[in-house]
Amino acid sequence: MSRLVSHDASTLFEKAWAYGIASGVIDNDVSERIARDGAKAILQFASLLGSDHLRIDLERAMRSMLALLNLNLEYEAGNDVRLAARSIAANGIGHHTREAARHMKAAGYDVRGIVTTRAHMDFESYVSLIDENEKSVKRVQAAQWALHAIGYAESIEPEYASLAIRTALLFMIFKPRTQWAGDMVGFEAMLQTVRSKARTKKASVPKDVPEALQSVVAEEWKLSSMKIFATILDEQREIHQLAASSELASLILTPGAAAPSFSAEEMCTSHWLKLSGGTHDEDVLLSLMLSGVFFEKARRSLTLTEAKAIADKIAAPPSVAGVTAWLELNAPHPFWEDLIGLWQHFWEEADSLHFGSQEERLEYVKTSIRVGRNRKQAS
């Protein structure tokens, strides 16, 4: 086993091994077992690095194994050589390499990346990685508690935990005892209440947060609350524009955005429902965009005169900037990609058809949008 550690006599593993042999904590049976386990681990690591029979890969594998071993041994035993020796004797090499790899996997690193590079991170980085992993677990627990407290029943992915905590706090602080079902109507009502109360109400973390979760909840609020309030209190945006904005979605949990399954209705603002009438029909949505961009009043159907005006524009398609600006003012941001795709398809298909007359262009427009139907329109 001495061959495995002779390259670095300063490691905790070397010191603990020497102490264990001298003190009898590591006897012959333990030594042979650890040597076998070490050789097996080196072969496994070498196969990830390239080959388990090339000397260069075996040497790299040995260094990676010892690096992982030392990281976790120092984490569990500190600088206590006696404790480290007992841990080696009781747990073997595999325990420490597996634990180090487990922490790294929890941080998102794959097995090959762990063996090739992450094994050689410095100890301070390893400790920070474990601390962040533990915070992430606590963050998910806090998110689950917070969402349950406001009646939000949907499960969420771990990456949305911070957003969930912040959203739940807004409800708990500004609309206490309100149950939020993840619907946009309730979300917009909360944002409106924050606007009306945030400048006069003290926004502190509720006292009923479980003690075990208080630190992570308080940290989330401290890091994000000022930016959240600055965004919500920007009254240059209407509530429906704020609720549907990508800026707000980057700060708090917007309806439908983080649930593994959701309906489009959950993301519809009251404004968009009024404009679209709750439909997802492409001809209606295209009519909304065309009338909104070109005639300054979005409607679900166009007049024949307006359809003719659109036909006149087919020869010179507009840039996407106009519809993007209109969507920013009117549509929920999760819909933008599909709506822009619908807009571009209309103009690109028209360009590809090479119409020979104005009548052909008009006929194309009339088959793509609503013309003269559904006269009762949203303003």
Side-chain angles (χ1 to χ4, degrees), residues 168-223:
L169 286 173
L170 288 172
F171 272 91
M172 286 187 275
I173 294 169
F174 293 97
K175 289 182 74 68
R177 295 177 296 280
T178 296
Q179 296 292 287
W180 181 53
D183 59 294
M184 186 59 82
V185 174
F187 185 71
E188 289 180 304
M190 179 272 290
L191 295 178
Q192 187 62 62
T193 301
V194 173
R195 275 195 176 176
S196 64
K197 294 183 177 180
R199 289 187 173 88
T200 57
K201 181 178 176 62
K202 184 178 180 181
S204 55
V205 175
K207 295 180 180 179
D208 58 347
V209 177
E211 184 176 354
L213 305 175
Q214 285 177 1
S215 61
V216 68
V217 171
E219 182 179 9
E220 282 294 339
W221 193 239
K222 181 179 179 181
L223 290 173

Side-chain angles (χ1 to χ4, degrees), residues 4-320:
L4 296 177
V5 297
S6 60
H7 76 291
D8 185 358
S10 66
T11 65
L12 178 60
F13 177 60
E14 161 62 36
K15 296 172 185 177
W17 184 265
Y19 171 81
I21 294 293
S23 65
V25 170
I26 299 176
D27 58 23
N28 287 338
D29 289 341
V30 171
S31 177
E32 290 177 4
R33 171 171 55 82
I34 291 175
R36 288 195 303 271
D37 292 346
K40 186 184 297 183
I42 288 172
L43 289 174
Q44 291 174 339
F45 284 17
S47 66
L48 290 169
L49 293 168
S51 170
D52 61 4
H53 62 270
L54 292 179
R55 179 180 179 83
I56 188 171
D57 289 334
L58 290 169
E59 290 177 348
R60 290 169 63 203
M62 179 187 69
R63 288 193 293 271
S64 293
M65 181 197 72
L66 289 173
L68 287 171
L69 169 60
N70 275 294
L71 281 174
N72 203 68
L73 189 65
E74 187 173 351
Y75 180 75
E76 293 190 1
N79 292 317
D80 191 329
V81 174
R82 296 181 181 182
L83 180 59
R86 290 196 293 272
S87 180
I88 293 169
N91 301 314
I93 287 177
H95 163 76
H96 292 290
T97 56
R98 284 192 299 271
E99 280 298 289
R102 181 178 67 82
H103 290 305
M104 293 177 186
K105 285 179 183 177
Y109 303 125
D110 60 24
V111 174
R112 179 173 174 78
I114 290 169
V115 173
T116 55
T117 58
R118 300 300 170 182
H120 304 288
M121 69 170 55
D122 60 87
F123 181 68
E124 289 73 19
S125 297
Y126 181 67
V127 172
S128 296
L129 176 146
I130 293 175
D131 288 345
E132 182 52 40
N133 289 347
E134 292 176 349
K135 280 185 180 179
S136 295
V137 172
K138 276 285 182 65
R139 203 174 289 123
V140 171
Q141 293 172 345
Q144 291 170 338
W145 171 84
L147 291 177
H148 178 75
I150 62 171
Y152 187 79
E154 294 284 350
S155 60
I156 62 164
E157 298 298 327
E159 60 264 32
Y160 294 106
S162 292
L163 306 185
I165 293 169
R166 300 166 192 171
T167 306
L169 286 173
L170 288 172
F171 272 91
M172 286 187 275
I173 294 169
F174 293 97
K175 289 182 74 68
R177 295 177 296 280
T178 296
Q179 296 292 287
W180 181 53
D183 59 294
M184 186 59 82
V185 174
F187 185 71
E188 289 180 304
M190 179 272 290
L191 295 178
Q192 187 62 62
T193 301
V194 173
R195 275 195 176 176
S196 64
K197 294 183 177 180
R199 289 187 173 88
T200 57
K201 181 178 176 62
K202 184 178 180 181
S204 55
V205 175
K207 295 180 180 179
D208 58 347
V209 177
E211 184 176 354
L213 305 175
Q214 285 177 1
S215 61
V216 68
V217 171
E219 182 179 9
E220 282 294 339
W221 193 239
K222 181 179 179 181
L223 290 173
S224 61
S225 58
M226 289 184 65
K227 190 170 184 179
I228 289 171
F229 288 135
T231 303
I232 295 176
L233 297 180
D234 179 8
E235 296 193 5
Q236 292 184 0
R237 278 182 170 168
E238 299 290 338
I239 285 294
H240 73 85
Q241 294 166 354
L242 172 66
S245 69
S246 55
E247 291 88 346
L248 192 64
S250 71
L251 295 171
I252 63 178
L253 184 68
T254 55
S261 61
F262 57 86
S263 64
E265 285 72 19
E266 288 180 305
M267 296 183 290
C268 285
T269 61
S270 54
H271 176 76
W272 183 252
L273 284 172
K274 184 179 179 183
L275 282 180
S276 67
T279 187
H280 305 292
D281 293 343
E282 291 187 352
D283 57 346
V284 174
L285 297 177
L286 186 56
S287 297
L288 280 176
M289 290 187 286
L290 289 169
S291 59
V293 171
F294 291 110
F295 308 119
E296 298 183 355
K297 186 175 182 180
R299 297 188 303 279
R300 297 193 288 276
S301 69
L302 280 67
T303 66
L304 182 58
T305 300
E306 290 169 335
K308 289 178 179 178
I310 297 298
D312 289 340
K313 300 177 185 296
I314 283 178
S319 73
V320 76

